């Protein structure tokens, strides 16, 4: 048919007639009426065109080879052969696998570049070439995640030399993913051979951008667009042919080529392939999904010369290197060609609240080493778009690792939003990093003009900086639809400019004017997902214990001088592999508890293997030390160790980083302790109980009572938990039920007196031992908990009479303060907060610290400290079972000092008992200031020894560090590059982290 480009003479479409109609309306009203009257018409045109982009010209036949686990390309036919047709269901359960072979015939007169295949086989698949190398993904379900992608975009397979003399044949490696535990969705829905109607595809994307231009045009410009479209008679789209479609596109180009003039706000844009490791998929499927995503991106790089893509997480690249070497070679070439950006500088996109300072360092250390070796690249962006809040220590570590830039988007979800998008984030030690919160509020940008416009308008610093960053794509990376929109929207009036470039270019350019931006100090708290601090307590327990074991093993290797791989139970290469596996499980979704159940089934097995191997290996290393039974102190604090041997009690001083023989202890012959009907008492403390709860904690040394009258410490409460693994209902506190005391008894054993209490209700049982030991500071609490009830939260609460408006929270390499009040909106949203080893309430007179060994979620309001022990949200019996927790209550005088740090370290990493047989001496490590803590001792990358220290005090400190017989060393950064020389004393500012290198 011919398109009639002549205007209808019976219809007045002139600009003057429209002006007369809208004369009585304001500009805003005019634009709104325009949108209401005309946008729906344009969207209807778009819907019509979408049905004409592909024309079915034939059918594909299918056969499949089923397996419950993945098969390699070479073994693809070893699965069970299935006879399949349209409507067939192939999966028996979620994550089942299938190799599909699709075949058909095509008319040889049709150009092969005009042929595609529409395939919907119920799951997520990777199409491979004739050698088994991934070339693109297909999915029947991912559009449920993101409405911005039309259904055809996920199902179209483009020809990759699959046609030979009119015959089609190709293979798809499919998995029953994203079926939401409903394998009945794994049905074969479409198997079509299609002709690609290129002109309609072009018109489809032209109209998408035209709608955007129209919506954001002023009155006069919008009227001109209406006039042009009316003249085109574009409503005949159902019947026009490709020739006419091209003619319409050519005319629309007049509008799409109408560029902005002069200075214009620019959105630097990069296609981001976001790989959520093991969130909704097992790890094995996360690896396979990454291959799908990366194959797509490589295809787009070939099709779009201006397109830039990127991805983070060294672990994902390493998986590609190991599992998909040919694909990895293509990725590597794209990186070296500057088309593919290494976006992040960490091993995975980690949780920053729940991991240790050393883990935070190793995340960067191993990632940077990998990227340097494989790509000769040094990433400089901390890329954490959706981790669940950010530790105030992160700038400290970033600065030490030469990672000057930080990016996220998740903080846009806060109710009390940080009032900046671009700012200088200041950490607890004063280090600052240039930070950018994506103004679009998401890392999965649609590249639709309304979202682009929102990003520009939402950017707080646009008066200072006419440039912001935008990332686009979905769970399967950017699609060709995203890129087609981006290509057309480079510079179209009246939209913001869109410039596809690397994120580092944006940051480097912005860094030159960073003095213009405000400073924001402290943590970047996320007002959502507070359940992540407590969910999957087993993962959190293992993570913390393995962090400590890895640290102790490295320490002993150095002290014993055992670096030869033949003489150690775990070689240095194996140690690196252990670290990297632990770092992988620190992915923000895994460690937080957000992943699916099957992820933890596998990870818990691996955790247990690593944990037990490290425990055994540390015992093996201790066998080199002296002869007989020994006590080893892995901390930088001297300590007194009290122990029982052959029914007698002994005390021995164990210096920092030293071992002493068990039989060198002095017998304790005089000690004081009383165990009454409702109290326990020694020289330092008297604890009085009522209904099993501590109603009095009297410190004899300070002559101070720490429990308010009528209240108690160590009371256990169960709450109704209506949240999920990430989210915690802020009103949970209104559903409190106190656990009842079932039994109470006190005992005395040498210098130790203790109370044993049993609590219970709602299928929850808590066995508690509260003990005090003569000669030891603090009150120790050991819990054995049985939790067998869904939708519950178990907490232990401590009422104190310490008057303070702030609570001190331990973080990596220091501490910081949060309000204890609940007056402002900020305070109310911070109803649950994370902490590492302890929290502390202090004032100028007295204070009290609460130290724990494996829990992170706290509520500290108005003198009451509440620690979450476990949560069982949902109906899948998650976190049901028996577990143990240890805590210490530490009263102290005045504001908190290094005593809390000392006790927290000794409590979390106590004296280790071993049996020596080889009389090998331990190399001396000594520090003379207890405010300065030795966090890590490890072998250097190029030999020598790294000793990592930090100042735990809010005041400047000076310390001498001796290694062997030397105190002269070099100062290095986290990547072990030399920064300066050091001789003698080291002066550290508050919370400063320093890395010493002894060669």
């Amino acid at each position: 048919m011919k398109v009639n480009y002549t205007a209808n003479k019976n219809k007045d479409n002139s600009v003057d007639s429209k002006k007369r109609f809208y004369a009585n309306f304001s500009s805003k009203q005019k634009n709104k009426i325009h949108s209401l009257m005309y946008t729906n018409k344009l969207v209807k045109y778009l819907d019509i065109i979408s049905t004409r982009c592909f024309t079915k010209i034939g059918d594909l036949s299918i056969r499949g080879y089923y397996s419950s686990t993945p098969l390699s390309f070479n073994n693809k036919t070893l699965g069970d052969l299935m006879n399949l047709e349209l409507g067939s269901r192939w999966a028996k359960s979620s994550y089942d696998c299938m190799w599909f072979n699709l075949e058909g015939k095509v008319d040889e007169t049709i150009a092969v570049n005009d042929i595609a295949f529409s395939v919907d086989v119920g799951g997520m698949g990777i199409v491979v070439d004739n050698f088994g190398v991934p070339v693109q993904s297909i999915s029947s379900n991912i559009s449920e995640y993101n409405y911005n992608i039309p259904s055809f975009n996920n199902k179209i397979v483009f020809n990759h030399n699959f046609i030979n003399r009119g015959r089609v044949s190709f293979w798809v490696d499919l998995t029953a993913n994203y079926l939401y535990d409903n394998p009945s969705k794994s049905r074969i829905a479409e198997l079509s051979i299609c002709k690609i109607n290129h002109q309609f595809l072009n018109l489809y994307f032209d109209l998408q951008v035209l709608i955007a231009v129209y919506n954001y045009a002023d009155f006069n410009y919008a009227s001109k667009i209406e006039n042009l479209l009316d003249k085109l008679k574009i409503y005949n789209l159902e019947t026009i042919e490709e020739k006419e479609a091209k003619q319409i596109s050519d005319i629309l180009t007049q509008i799409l080529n109408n560029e902005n003039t002069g200075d214009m706000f620019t959105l630097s844009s990069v296609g981001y392939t976001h790989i959520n490791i093991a969130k909704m998929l097992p790890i094995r499927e996360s690896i396979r999904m990454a291959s799908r995503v990366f194959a797509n991106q490589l295809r787009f790089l070939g099709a779009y010369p201006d397109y830039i893509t990127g991805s983070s997480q060294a672990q994902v690249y390493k998986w590609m290197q190991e599992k998909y070497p040919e694909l990895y070679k293509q990725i590597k070439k794209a990186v070296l060609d500057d088309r593919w950006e290494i976006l992040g500088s960490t091993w995975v996109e980690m949780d920053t609240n729940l991991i240790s300072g050393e883990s935070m360092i190793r995340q960067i250390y191993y990632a940077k080493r990998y990227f340097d070796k494989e790509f000769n690249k040094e990433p400089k962006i901390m890329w954490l778009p959706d981790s669940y809040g950010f530790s105030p220590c992160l700038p400290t570590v970033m600065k030490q690792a030469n990672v000057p830039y930080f990016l996220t988007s998740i903080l846009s979800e806060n109710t009390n939003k940080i009032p900046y998008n671009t700012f200088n984030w200041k950490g607890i030690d004063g280090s600052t990093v240039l930070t950018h919160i994506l103004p679009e509020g998401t890392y999965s940008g649609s590249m639709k003009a309304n979202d682009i416009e929102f990003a520009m308008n939402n950017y707080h610093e646009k008066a200072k900086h006419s440039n912001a960053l935008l990332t686009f794509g979905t769970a399967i990376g950017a699609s060709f639809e995203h890129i087609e929109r981006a290509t057309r929207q480079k510079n179209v009036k009246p939209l913001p400019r869109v410039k596809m470039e690397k994120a580092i270019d944006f940051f480097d350019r912005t860094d030159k004017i960073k003095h213009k931006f405000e400073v924001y100090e402290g943590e970047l708290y996320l007002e959502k997902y507070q359940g992540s601090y407590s969910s999957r307590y087993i993962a959190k327990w293992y993570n913390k214990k393995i962090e400590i074991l890895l640290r102790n093993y490295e320490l002993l290797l150095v002290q014993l001088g055992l670096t030869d791989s033949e003489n150690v139970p775990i070689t240095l290469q194996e140690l690196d592999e252990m670290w990297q596996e632990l770092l992988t499980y620190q992915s923000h979704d895994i460690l937080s508890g957000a992943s699916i159940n099957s992820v933890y089934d596998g990870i818990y097995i691996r955790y247990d293997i690593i944990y037990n191997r490290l425990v055994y290996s540390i015992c093996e290393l201790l066998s080199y030390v002296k002869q007989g039974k020994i006590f080893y102190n892995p901390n930088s604090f001297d300590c007194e160790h009290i122990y029982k041997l052959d029914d007698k009690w002994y005390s021995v001083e164990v210096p920092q980083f030293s071992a002493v023989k068990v039989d060198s202890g002095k017998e304790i012959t005089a000690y004081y302790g009383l165990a009454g009907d409702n109290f326990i008492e020694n020289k330092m403390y008297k604890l009085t109980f009522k209904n099993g709860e501590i109603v009095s904690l009297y410190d004899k040394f300070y002559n101070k009572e720490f429990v308010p009258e009528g209240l108690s410490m160590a009371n256990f409460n169960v709450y109704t938990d209506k949240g999920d693994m990430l989210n915690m209902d802020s009103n949970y506190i209104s559903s409190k039920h106190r656990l009842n005391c079932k039994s109470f008894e006190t005992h005395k054993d040498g210098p130790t007196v203790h109370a044993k209490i049993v609590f219970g209700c709602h299928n929850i049982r808590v066995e508690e031992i509260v003990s005090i030991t003569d000669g030891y500071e603090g009150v120790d609490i050991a819990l054995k908990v049985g939790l067998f009830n869904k939708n519950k939260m178990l907490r232990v609460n401590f009422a104190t009479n310490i008057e303070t408006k702030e609570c001190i929270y331990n973080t990596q390499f220091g501490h910081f303060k949060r309000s204890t009040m609940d007056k402002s909106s900020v305070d109310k949203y911070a109803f649950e907060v994370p902490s590492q080893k302890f929290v502390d309430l202090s004032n100028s007179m007295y204070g009290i610290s609460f130290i724990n060994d494996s829990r992170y979620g706290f509520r500290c309001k108005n003198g009451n400290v509440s620690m979450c022990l476990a949560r069982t949200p949902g109906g899948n019996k998650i976190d049901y079972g028996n577990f143990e927790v240890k805590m210490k209550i530490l009263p102290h005088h005045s504001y908190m000092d290094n005593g809390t740090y000392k006790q927290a370290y000794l409590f979390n990493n106590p004296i280790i008992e071993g049996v020596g047989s080889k009389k090998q001496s331990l190399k001396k490590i000594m520090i003379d200031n207890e405010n300065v803590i030795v966090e890590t001792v490890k072998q250097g990358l190029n030999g020598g020894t790294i000793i990592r220290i930090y100042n735990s005090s809010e005041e400047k400190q000076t310390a001498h560090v001796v290694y062997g017989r030397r105190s002269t060393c070099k100062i290095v950064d986290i990547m072990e590059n030399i920064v300066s020389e050091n001789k003698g004393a080291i002066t550290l500012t508050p919370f400063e982290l320093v890395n010493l290198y002894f060669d």
Side-chain angles (χ1 to χ4, degrees):
M1 62 164 284
K2 286 275 188 182
V3 180
N4 182 2
Y5 295 120
T6 305
N8 186 340
K9 293 181 180 179
N10 297 321
K11 186 176 180 181
D12 186 358
N13 290 312
S14 68
V15 172
D16 289 340
S17 68
K18 288 181 174 58
K19 284 184 176 180
R20 287 195 298 272
F21 176 77
Y22 291 115
N24 295 322
F25 295 102
S26 68
S27 296
K28 279 190 175 180
Q29 289 173 324
K30 291 174 186 176
N31 288 335
K32 188 173 183 179
I33 293 170
H34 277 147
S35 296
L36 291 173
M37 293 181 64
Y38 218 82
T39 300
N40 287 340
K41 185 186 294 186
L42 296 177
V43 171
K44 181 181 177 181
Y45 297 158
L46 190 64
D47 290 340
I48 293 168
I49 287 296
S50 70
T51 65
R52 305 204 62 192
C53 294
F54 300 92
T55 301
K56 181 177 177 179
I57 58 174
D59 294 304
L60 293 165
S61 64
I62 185 171
R63 71 177 187 274
Y65 297 88
Y66 166 86
S67 61
S68 59
T69 55
L71 295 173
S72 67
F73 178 73
N74 291 336
N75 294 326
K76 58 185 176 293
T77 60
L78 295 182
D80 298 332
L81 179 62
M82 296 182 69
N83 296 317
L84 302 165
E85 58 185 15
L86 286 175
S88 294
R89 169 184 164 179
W90 61 269
K92 300 174 184 177
S93 60
S94 294
Y95 317 117
D96 281 352
C97 302
M98 178 77 79
W99 273 101
F100 286 111
N101 183 217
L102 302 168
E103 294 183 328
K105 295 181 180 180
V106 296
D107 185 346
E108 292 189 65
T109 63
I110 302 175
V112 292
N113 289 334
D114 292 338
I115 295 175
F117 314 101
S118 184
V119 178
D120 184 348
V121 284
M124 294 185 70
I126 184 71
V127 181
V128 300
D129 66 15
N130 295 329
F131 302 98
V133 179
V135 291
Q136 77 158 89
S137 70
I138 58 170
S139 173
S140 59
N141 296 291
I142 202 68
S143 58
E144 295 179 14
Y145 257 149
N146 197 311
Y147 66 91
N148 293 315
I149 300 181
S151 58
F152 68 72
N153 192 39
N154 301 314
K155 297 184 288 186
I156 295 298
V157 177
F158 292 91
N159 176 36
H160 299 277
N161 300 318
F162 296 147
I163 301 173
N164 184 19
R165 297 181 180 179
R167 298 193 64 84
V168 179
S169 180
F170 61 96
W171 288 85
V172 180
D173 182 10
L174 195 75
T175 312
N177 289 343
Y178 287 110
L179 303 185
Y180 308 102
D181 291 325
N182 184 5
S184 65
K185 290 185 177 183
S186 64
R187 296 188 182 276
I188 298 169
E190 189 171 354
L191 298 168
S192 301
I193 302 172
C194 301
K195 180 180 178 295
I196 306 171
N197 302 318
H198 297 284
Q199 298 304 329
F200 284 110
L201 264 177
N202 285 333
L203 183 55
Y204 173 78
F205 293 117
D206 287 344
L207 277 172
Q208 279 197 356
V209 178
L210 184 71
I211 291 172
V213 171
Y214 175 79
N215 282 336
Y216 291 97
D218 61 23
F219 178 79
N220 290 330
Y221 193 37
S223 296
K224 290 179 181 178
I225 294 173
E226 290 179 25
N227 245 8
L228 176 61
L229 292 175
D230 287 342
K231 288 178 182 179
L232 288 176
K233 299 277 185 174
I234 200 169
Y235 43 80
N236 291 328
L237 292 172
E238 296 97 330
T239 55
I240 65 172
E241 298 175 0
E242 280 203 90
K243 181 179 179 181
E244 285 75 32
K246 183 179 185 307
Q247 291 173 341
I248 295 174
S249 281
D250 289 344
I251 293 174
L252 294 184
T253 300
Q254 297 175 27
I255 298 174
L256 299 181
N257 284 347
N258 188 9
E259 295 184 349
N260 293 292
T261 57
D263 293 334
M264 188 67 189
F265 190 85
T266 301
L267 285 161
S268 301
S269 306
V270 59
Y272 171 44
T273 57
H274 182 78
I275 308 296
N276 263 330
I277 294 176
K279 183 176 184 180
M280 298 299 294
L281 300 172
I283 286 181
R284 84 165 200 217
E285 289 305 317
S286 297
I287 298 170
R288 284 150 58 82
M289 184 174 180
S291 74
R292 299 180 183 110
V293 172
F294 288 175
N296 274 0
Q297 298 311 300
L298 290 166
R299 181 163 60 92
F300 297 147
L301 290 177
Y304 301 97
D306 294 335
Y307 179 53
I308 299 290
T309 191
S311 191
S312 63
Q313 307 184 108
Q315 174 65 90
V316 178
Y317 289 89
K318 188 179 181 184
W319 280 332
M320 296 303 100
Q321 184 181 16
E322 294 169 345
K323 305 290 185 180
Y324 301 91
E326 293 302 318
L327 186 70
Y328 179 74
K329 288 178 183 177
Q330 298 176 49
I331 295 169
K332 194 166 186 177
K333 183 178 185 306
V335 172
L336 297 177
D337 288 344
D338 252 8
R339 300 288 308 285
W340 185 302
E341 185 175 8
I342 305 295
L343 287 172
S345 55
T346 53
W347 193 252
V348 296
E349 290 180 9
M350 63 194 179
D351 188 296
T352 72
N353 289 317
L354 305 177
I355 65 175
S356 69
E358 189 60 28
S359 285
M360 193 180 284
I361 287 171
R362 298 299 176 100
Q363 285 280 351
I364 302 174
Y365 176 77
Y366 284 110
K368 279 203 160 191
R369 280 177 55 185
Y370 180 83
F371 289 134
D372 178 57
K373 178 183 176 183
E374 291 297 318
F375 303 101
N376 194 28
K377 298 286 184 181
E378 185 189 11
K380 294 190 175 182
I381 306 172
M382 178 64 65
W383 191 274
L384 299 175
D386 66 342
S387 295
Y388 306 131
F390 306 101
S391 163
C393 178
L394 196 54
T396 303
V397 176
M398 290 172 60
K399 204 75 172 180
Q400 288 263 356
N402 191 29
V403 180
Y405 309 135
F406 177 69
L407 175 137
T408 190
S409 64
I410 199 167
L411 294 172
S412 299
E413 299 182 20
N414 278 2
T415 298
N416 299 285
K417 298 187 188 305
I418 292 172
Y420 319 113
N421 288 103
T422 302
F423 57 95
N424 296 292
W425 179 22
K426 186 177 182 180
I428 57 173
D429 73 328
S431 297
T432 59
V433 292
L434 180 63
T435 298
H436 191 67
I437 301 175
L438 294 171
E440 190 178 357
T442 178
Y443 56 82
S444 298
S446 68
M447 263 301 161
K448 287 188 174 180
N450 58 324
D451 293 327
I452 292 173
E453 186 83 5
F454 174 81
M456 178 183 72
N457 293 334
N458 193 50
Y459 185 48
H460 287 89
E461 286 71 40
K462 58 180 175 286
K464 300 177 180 179
H465 192 31
S466 60
N467 191 189
L469 188 61
L470 179 151
T471 64
F472 59 93
T474 66
I476 57 169
S479 70
F480 72 83
E481 184 179 7
H482 290 103
I483 306 169
E484 288 283 357
R485 285 199 289 262
T487 301
R488 285 166 172 77
Q489 292 172 165
K490 283 182 181 178
N491 190 18
V492 182
K493 185 179 179 181
L495 303 178
R497 288 195 178 104
V498 172
K499 182 180 182 182
M500 285 194 278
E501 65 173 349
K502 293 185 294 183
I504 191 63
D505 294 336
F506 161 78
F507 273 107
D508 284 344
R509 187 165 52 248
T510 306
D511 188 57
K512 294 177 180 177
I513 56 169
K514 65 182 179 183
H515 60 277
K516 292 184 177 182
F517 304 116
E518 301 295 331
V519 174
Y520 187 91
E521 187 171 354
E523 68 176 329
L524 299 181
Y525 178 76
L526 180 63
E527 296 178 340
K528 294 179 67 174
Y529 312 131
Q530 293 97 328
S532 66
Y533 311 142
S534 306
S535 299
R536 312 281 187 184
Y537 65 81
I538 297 173
K540 293 173 173 61
W541 185 91
Y542 268 121
N543 179 76
K544 190 167 191 177
K545 300 305 180 185
I546 292 173
E547 286 175 332
I548 292 170
L549 289 170
L550 284 167
R551 182 258 191 198
N552 289 347
Y553 184 85
E554 289 182 318
L555 167 63
L556 280 168
L557 276 185
V558 168
Q559 285 197 277
L560 291 167
L562 296 176
T563 56
D564 183 357
S565 61
E566 295 180 359
N567 296 324
V568 292
I570 300 173
T571 67
L572 293 178
Q573 180 180 341
E574 289 174 318
L575 195 63
D576 284 344
E577 291 168 356
M578 279 186 174
W579 261 114
Q580 290 168 14
E581 185 172 358
L582 181 69
L583 299 179
T584 300
Y585 302 153
Q586 291 173 352
S587 172
H588 61 281
D589 287 320
I590 297 175
L591 192 55
S592 68
S595 296
I596 56 175
N597 292 346
S598 60
V599 169
Y600 298 97
D601 293 340
I603 287 175
Y604 289 167
I605 293 172
R606 289 298 307 155
Y607 272 141
D608 200 53
I609 291 171
I610 295 169
Y611 175 86
N612 286 309
R613 189 175 178 198
L614 282 166
V615 169
Y616 169 80
S617 298
I618 288 170
C619 289
E620 284 290 294
L621 291 183
L622 287 175
S623 72
Y624 284 78
V625 183
K626 301 186 178 181
Q627 283 188 325
K629 291 184 178 180
I630 60 170
F631 291 127
Y632 173 67
N633 180 4
N635 296 286
S636 57
F637 305 97
D638 299 342
C639 73
E640 180 184 11
H641 183 58
I642 297 173
Y643 59 100
K644 188 176 184 181
L645 182 64
D646 298 329
D647 292 326
K648 295 182 179 180
W649 286 87
Y650 298 86
S651 173
V652 63
E653 289 290 332
V654 190
Q656 55 184 292
F657 303 119
S658 297
V660 299
K661 288 187 176 183
V662 170
D663 58 16
S664 66
K666 295 182 179 180
E667 184 180 353
I668 304 174
T669 57
Y671 37 75
Y672 175 76
L674 297 175
D677 290 341
N678 68 338
F679 73 92
I680 57 175
E681 181 179 1
N682 66 9
K683 292 177 183 177
M684 295 184 69
Y685 309 107
K686 181 177 181 180
L687 281 74
T688 306
F689 297 83
K690 183 178 180 181
N691 297 324
E693 299 170 0
I694 302 170
V695 294
S696 171
L697 169 52
Y698 180 71
D699 189 309
K700 297 180 178 182
F701 183 78
Y702 297 126
N703 190 27
K704 164 69 178 174
E705 172 62 57
F706 283 90
V707 182
E709 185 176 355
L711 299 178
S712 67
M713 284 186 181
N715 57 74
F716 298 90
N717 296 278
V718 59
Y719 304 84
T720 299
D721 194 337
K722 298 178 181 179
D724 54 30
M725 300 312 293
L726 285 179
N727 294 287
M728 181 183 288
D729 183 2
S730 61
N731 295 317
Y732 75 84
I733 199 166
S734 63
S735 64
K736 180 172 72 172
H737 293 278
R738 186 73 61 92
L739 267 64
N740 301 317
C741 179
K742 303 296 184 182
S743 66
F744 177 87
E745 56 189 50
T746 62
H747 296 275
K748 179 180 178 182
D749 186 6
T752 297
V753 287
H754 68 263
K756 183 177 181 180
I757 314 108
V758 176
F759 297 91
C761 78
H762 295 287
N763 291 326
I764 299 172
R765 178 182 173 87
V766 177
E767 295 182 12
E768 179 188 27
I769 295 178
V770 180
S771 62
I772 51 178
T773 300
D774 211 24
Y776 273 175
E777 289 186 76
V779 179
D780 289 321
I781 298 177
L783 305 178
K784 291 183 179 179
V785 180
L787 179 58
F788 299 93
N789 208 334
K790 67 179 181 180
N791 297 322
K792 298 298 180 184
M793 182 196 309
L794 178 64
R795 305 183 72 94
V796 57
N797 301 312
F798 302 87
T800 79
N801 53 19
I802 303 298
E803 295 183 4
T804 176
K805 294 182 179 180
E806 293 181 315
C807 181
I808 298 172
Y809 293 83
N810 178 227
T811 188
Q812 302 93 342
F813 305 125
H815 58 264
F816 68 106
K817 299 173 183 177
R818 298 185 180 103
S819 172
T820 62
M821 311 303 288
D822 209 6
K823 296 180 180 179
S824 71
S825 177
V826 172
D827 295 339
K828 289 177 181 178
Y829 273 93
F831 62 88
E832 186 83 354
V833 292
S835 188
Q836 289 267 322
K837 296 182 180 71
F838 64 82
V839 299
D840 180 90
L841 295 172
S842 299
N843 57 36
S844 60
M845 296 295 293
Y846 299 100
I848 188 166
S849 301
F850 297 91
I851 298 165
N852 87 98
D853 74 333
S854 60
R855 293 302 186 263
Y856 296 88
F858 292 86
R859 177 188 179 96
C860 303
K861 300 288 185 181
N862 301 313
N864 188 73
V865 173
S866 173
M867 182 173 74
C868 186
L869 295 174
R871 304 175 61 235
T872 60
N876 294 320
K877 297 187 176 180
I878 298 170
D879 283 352
Y880 275 39
N882 298 301
F883 60 87
E884 298 182 6
V885 182
K886 293 180 180 180
M887 294 171 281
K888 179 185 279 287
I889 306 172
L890 183 68
H892 59 82
H893 183 64
S894 188
Y895 292 110
M896 188 195 78
D897 60 14
N898 64 289
T900 293
Y901 274 93
K902 176 178 180 177
Q903 293 297 331
Y905 271 82
L906 291 171
F907 189 75
N908 278 270
N909 193 10
I911 296 294
I912 304 170
E913 187 172 339
V915 179
S917 61
K918 300 178 183 177
K919 295 186 178 180
Q920 189 160 333
S921 61
L922 291 169
K923 189 166 289 188
K924 182 180 180 181
I925 300 172
M926 189 181 74
I927 189 165
D928 63 356
N929 185 337
E930 288 193 344
N931 286 293
V932 180
I933 297 173
V934 176
E935 182 74 6
T936 301
V937 179
K938 63 179 284 286
Q939 182 175 322
L941 181 60
N942 299 310
T945 298
I946 300 294
I947 298 180
R948 214 179 316 279
I949 63 175
Y950 75 96
N951 178 8
S952 66
S953 166
E954 297 177 29
E955 305 292 334
K956 186 182 292 186
Q957 299 290 331
T958 299
H960 294 83
V961 179
V962 176
Y963 174 64
R965 296 181 178 179
R966 291 175 295 152
S967 59
T968 300
C969 61
K970 296 179 175 64
I971 308 294
V972 298
D973 62 18
I974 282 171
M975 299 311 298
E976 302 180 20
N977 301 303
I978 296 174
V979 175
S980 64
E981 299 283 340
N982 180 77
K983 295 182 180 180
I986 302 165
T987 299
L988 298 91
T989 57
F991 307 126
E992 183 178 2
L993 172 67
V994 176
N995 306 285
L996 309 177
Y997 173 68
F998 292 86
D999 53 21

